[in-house]
Amino acid sequence: MLIAVMTLTACTSVAGITEGANTTIEMELNENYDDTDPFINEKLFCVSEDIDSLTVQGTFEMVGGTGLLEVKNNKTNEVLWSNMWEGIVESDGFSISLENLKKAEEYVVCFTGTEITHAAIKAAFESDFVQEKETPAR
C-alpha cells in the first residue's frame, strides 16, 4: 500500500512542478471599474523556483466591446501569451503553456477592455511554486 501511494505521488510531480497545488488569480470588473476606455487591470505573480513549463487553466467571460488578456514579463513587457475576445462571451475556457519562467522575474496577468459592462477572469496555475504578489519589486 505504501509503495502504491509513493508511486502515485511521484507520478504527479513533473520537472519540479507539483500538480494539484494551485494559485488562482481572479479578476471581476464592471462598468464602474474605471471611467477610461480602454481600462486596464493587472495582477502580479512570481515563481519561487525556475520553471521550464507551467500550465495555466482559465475561464473568461465578458459583456462589452473587446477584451485582451495577456501574460507578460513585468519588467520587459514581453508578451508570453495573449488572446482577444469580442462582444458577449458567456464562459470560454482556455489553457496556457508558459515556458522558462525565472524566479528572479515578475510576471503579470493583464486585462485590457473596451466598452466593458462585465468581465470575469480566473487563471489557475498548476504549480505550488507560483505566488500572487501585491506590489512589484521595482
Side-chain angles (χ1 to χ4, degrees), residues 12-24 45-57 101 123-132:
T12 61
S13 180
V14 178
I17 299 173
T18 304
E19 296 296 325
N22 293 334
T23 295
T24 301
F45 70 95
C46 63
V47 294
S48 59
E49 299 290 331
D50 290 349
I51 298 177
D52 293 334
S53 180
L54 173 66
T55 301
V56 184
Q57 299 294 331
L101 300 180
F125 296 82
E126 295 182 350
S127 170
D128 60 353
F129 296 126
V130 176
Q131 302 157 345
E132 187 172 355

Side-chain angles (χ1 to χ4, degrees), residues 9-44:
T9 303
C11 291
T12 61
S13 180
V14 178
I17 299 173
T18 304
E19 296 296 325
N22 293 334
T23 295
T24 301
I25 291 179
E26 297 183 59
M27 292 184 248
E28 186 149 1
L29 314 149
N30 63 36
E31 68 270 16
N32 299 319
Y33 171 75
D34 196 341
D35 60 2
T36 61
D37 196 31
F39 64 71
I40 298 172
N41 189 352
E42 297 180 326
K43 296 273 185 147
L44 285 169

Side-chain angles (χ1 to χ4, degrees), residues 16-116:
I17 299 173
T18 304
E19 296 296 325
N22 293 334
T23 295
T24 301
I25 291 179
E26 297 183 59
M27 292 184 248
E28 186 149 1
L29 314 149
N30 63 36
E31 68 270 16
N32 299 319
Y33 171 75
D34 196 341
D35 60 2
T36 61
D37 196 31
F39 64 71
I40 298 172
N41 189 352
E42 297 180 326
K43 296 273 185 147
L44 285 169
F45 70 95
C46 63
V47 294
S48 59
E49 299 290 331
D50 290 349
I51 298 177
D52 293 334
S53 180
L54 173 66
T55 301
V56 184
Q57 299 294 331
T59 58
F60 181 86
E61 55 185 68
M62 178 181 81
V63 176
T66 62
L68 174 65
L69 186 61
E70 299 174 303
V71 177
K72 303 188 285 189
N73 181 303
N74 194 42
K75 184 177 180 181
T76 66
N77 260 349
E78 174 191 3
V79 176
L80 306 175
W81 177 88
S82 71
N83 198 7
M84 180 176 276
W85 292 267
E86 293 184 8
I88 297 173
V89 180
E90 290 188 18
S91 184
D92 190 18
F94 60 87
S95 180
I96 304 169
S97 181
L98 301 173
E99 306 294 327
N100 299 315
L101 300 180
K102 303 296 179 197
K103 70 179 179 179
E105 299 289 330
E106 292 178 333
Y107 303 94
V108 64
V109 176
C110 177
F111 174 73
T112 305
T114 62
E115 302 171 11
I116 299 299

